[in-house]
Amino acid sequence: MPRTVTPAPWEELVTSALLGTDRRPAEGGGGPGGLLDAAALHTVQRRAGLLPASAAARPEPAPADPRPPLPPAARHRLAQLLADRSAPGGSGGRRGTAPDLTELIPQWLATANLHGYRAPAALLPPLLDAARSRTDLRPQALAFAGPRGLWLAGLNPEWKFALRGSSGGSLLPDVTEPEAVGRLWEEGLFAERVALLGAVRAHDPAEALALLATTWTTERAEDRLMFLDSLRTGLSGVDETFLEQALSDRSRNVRSTAAELLSALPESAFAERMAGRAMSCVSPDLHGDEASVAVEAPHECDASMERDGVVAVPPSGRGERSWWLGQLVESTPLATWSARFGGRAAQEIVGQPVADGWAEELHAAWCRAAVRQRDPEWARALLGAPSVPPSNGPGTASLAERSKLLAILPAAERAEWVADFIAAHGLSEAFQLLGVCPTPWAEPLGRSVVDALDIARDAGSYPWSFSGVMGLAERCLNPAEADRLAVLTTTPDEPEDASPGANGYWSEAFQRLVSTLRLRSAMDLELIPG
């Protein structure tokens, strides 16, 4: 009868291998050779004794996606874009003349979704991988992936973001069926509940508020904040009562958001209260020959102000009184100021001098109010003429705040303002402003950007200083401009004071720009239904 050999436990073999057989001999001795023999015996026995696992239940079949398939050329292009995304990156030096395919994925997805195509099944995995690594791709990628993308995401934990962060492709119940709505509201994923609230709100705002009220007190603070934030869409007087109650919420962020939303309702009782406080602080100065603005900032933040969302403790480096003043003014309906200043228009009010050094704080608060209330008249007044340097403008020198003001203006006016700004001041301060302009850029804006780049090259500037703007131009210029820009791809003689080799870099950058525009044009043609 053969002898039964019982090998040492695997953990002991690992310990002997780590410490060395001199310090921890394996069971049975034999030094390193004996250790390997014991490991081989253990491995064979484990494999010989392995039992097949029970078959798991098959997943439900993927849902149907009735959207039309991609044209063959567009499908091939998508595979190329997604494959390039996972290719090894460069050294971080010169980019060369080839287009950056990764940066074209957002535009490709937007155009494909505009035409209503469905994603090829074989490309869903790399598409979800791309969306996992780039949050900016997720909305368009998940819309393109559709119901099959969500079905596939449910089978891979690495793609769970799709289930958590989007309701695209999931079927919402009929909003006129209370039982189905209530069941999803009680049991659904957070993203599904947000989508459901939006659908019910589009159908009946009052009903959406009633649905939200059923679980409001039991929701987590971060969820209450997100639900409240979703009320921005379709905000109206119907929401006032609910938002007034939210002013007493135990979460400071929820209270602040409720106050912000109420301030966007000029007829609300909240807006009236804040206007009364602001009027006591800001008034026309009737003394002297020239009209001016007098400011007397609050001396305290009382309990009623805190209840209305005014944060009492300022950030580090900010004075209390200026901090309180800014919050009152930004929450006051802008129409109030015209009556306060004798019927003057926004441009006249903003143009008046402000006493005692309060101009910067007051104008910054008016900027925030204009953005919050989406008021184009005040946005124009606070932006001022594009030819005026930001530091001397009527509103704020902050380009971030100016970008927000620009976003309120109609698209054509926005592009024209930025084009004139670039013509007057160049590109060094225009990057953030370009980011809010609709794409593809209108012809005056596109021409202004290219002319400024050409001027920078002729001046011998460092080309890498404009790499961000050049990258924007590759994605945002009208592709029809490619042939006109081809003349810029040559390498002219360098000025004596230019950076060595700068014109070579500029030539490469313009070649890449032209190549990218032509590629974008080809991509658009490939997505046109046959």
Side-chain angles (χ1 to χ4, degrees):
M1 184 175 181
R3 180 171 62 91
T4 301
V5 179
T6 303
W10 182 257
E11 292 76 10
E12 292 186 11
L13 297 179
V14 171
T15 302
S16 296
L18 291 173
L19 297 178
T21 53
D22 291 339
R23 299 177 57 189
R24 180 72 176 268
E27 185 176 335
L35 175 64
L36 294 177
D37 289 343
L41 177 61
H42 195 287
T43 301
V44 170
Q45 287 193 338
R46 287 181 62 186
R47 290 178 176 177
L50 183 65
L51 296 176
S54 301
R58 289 187 176 183
E60 293 294 325
D65 190 340
R67 295 177 296 177
L70 282 172
R75 175 181 175 137
H76 176 75
R77 180 74 65 190
L78 175 60
Q80 182 185 24
L81 295 176
L82 294 174
D84 187 77
R85 184 196 68 83
S86 59
S91 62
R94 299 175 76 145
R95 289 177 53 197
T97 61
D100 185 345
L101 300 185
T102 300
E103 292 304 316
L104 297 181
I105 296 177
Q107 178 184 319
W108 190 97
L109 289 171
T111 306
N113 285 332
L114 187 65
H115 288 298
Y117 291 118
R118 72 167 180 261
L123 295 180
L124 283 174
L127 179 65
L128 291 171
D129 279 338
R132 178 169 63 94
S133 60
R134 284 183 59 177
T135 56
D136 63 309
L137 289 180
R138 289 181 184 179
Q140 293 284 6
L142 294 178
F144 183 57
R148 290 181 175 177
L150 288 183
W151 171 85
L152 190 62
L155 302 177
N156 185 347
E158 291 189 353
W159 299 329
K160 62 183 178 182
F161 71 88
L163 306 176
R164 182 178 61 247
S166 172
S167 63
S170 63
L171 297 177
L172 296 176
D174 189 331
V175 295
T176 62
E177 298 180 1
E179 290 186 7
V181 168
R183 184 165 53 252
L184 183 59
W185 182 252
E186 293 287 346
E187 302 173 1
L189 298 169
F190 177 72
E192 292 174 327
R193 299 177 73 210
V194 171
L196 177 64
L197 183 64
V200 175
R201 184 171 175 80
H203 172 71
D204 187 339
E207 187 177 335
L209 290 177
L211 180 67
L212 183 55
T214 59
T215 60
W216 179 257
T217 58
T218 61
E219 302 285 357
R220 299 182 305 167
E222 54 267 36
D223 291 349
R224 294 199 306 278
L225 181 62
M226 292 295 292
F227 286 134
L228 200 63
D229 197 64
S230 69
L231 299 184
R232 295 180 190 277
T233 303
L235 184 68
S236 70
V238 174
D239 305 310
E240 181 179 356
T241 300
F242 185 88
L243 293 173
E244 277 282 350
Q245 294 172 351
L247 287 174
S248 302
D249 195 90
R250 56 188 180 274
S251 166
R252 187 179 73 176
N253 289 334
V254 172
R255 295 196 302 270
S256 296
T257 301
E260 180 185 344
L261 293 175
L262 282 167
S263 68
L265 297 173
E267 305 300 323
S268 66
F270 170 88
E272 184 178 350
R273 295 194 299 271
M274 298 301 275
R277 296 177 180 122
M279 293 301 104
S280 68
C281 298
V282 181
S283 59
D285 188 350
L286 304 179
H287 300 289
D289 297 331
E290 185 178 344
S292 61
V293 181
V295 175
E296 180 66 27
H299 290 274
E300 65 172 345
C301 180
D302 57 32
S304 66
M305 289 170 62
E306 289 195 62
R307 194 265 173 186
D308 278 343
V310 177
V311 179
V313 180
S316 177
R318 289 288 301 274
E320 286 184 333
R321 297 182 65 199
S322 63
W323 172 245
W324 300 332
L325 174 70
Q327 293 179 79
L328 296 181
V329 172
E330 72 183 31
S331 299
T332 297
L334 289 165
T336 305
W337 299 110
S338 179
R340 182 62 165 164
F341 285 85
R344 287 182 171 84
Q347 187 172 358
E348 294 180 86
I349 297 172
V350 170
Q352 291 184 358
V354 182
D356 302 324
W358 286 103
E360 183 177 353
E361 185 64 49
L362 180 61
H363 287 177
W366 275 337
C367 286
R368 295 192 296 272
V371 171
R372 185 178 295 184
Q373 298 172 39
R374 311 295 299 174
D375 191 310
E377 180 189 358
W378 275 83
R380 292 186 189 98
L382 292 162
L383 280 168
S387 58
V388 176
S391 58
N392 299 331
T396 173
S398 167
L399 291 175
E401 293 298 323
R402 283 175 160 244
S403 298
K404 295 176 183 177
L405 291 171
L406 273 171
I408 302 170
L409 302 181
E413 182 180 356
R414 199 184 318 164
E416 183 178 357
W417 195 97
V418 177
D420 291 342
F421 181 91
I422 292 172
H425 309 293
L427 289 168
S428 60
E429 295 183 313
F431 186 79
Q432 286 180 292
L433 305 180
L434 287 168
V436 299
C437 292
T439 56
W441 289 335
E443 193 274 340
L445 176 57
R447 183 179 295 274
S448 182
V449 171
V450 173
D451 288 347
L453 289 169
D454 196 20
I455 291 171
R457 177 180 67 170
D458 290 343
S461 300
Y462 290 100
W464 41 90
S465 300
F466 299 91
S467 59
V469 175
M470 188 66 79
L472 270 180
E474 292 172 16
R475 300 188 296 274
C476 302
L477 271 175
N478 192 325
E481 296 288 308
D483 291 339
R484 185 178 69 84
L485 299 179
V487 67
L488 300 176
T489 60
T490 59
T491 307
D493 295 334
E494 291 183 353
E496 292 183 1
D497 57 346
S499 305
N503 273 357
Y505 277 91
W506 277 111
S507 178
E508 285 185 0
F510 281 118
Q511 289 178 50
R512 185 172 60 251
L513 173 60
V514 171
S515 298
T516 302
L517 294 179
R518 287 174 173 160
L519 177 57
R520 285 174 52 206
S521 179
M523 284 168 38
D524 290 343
L525 290 174
E526 292 165 357
L527 284 165
I528 294 177

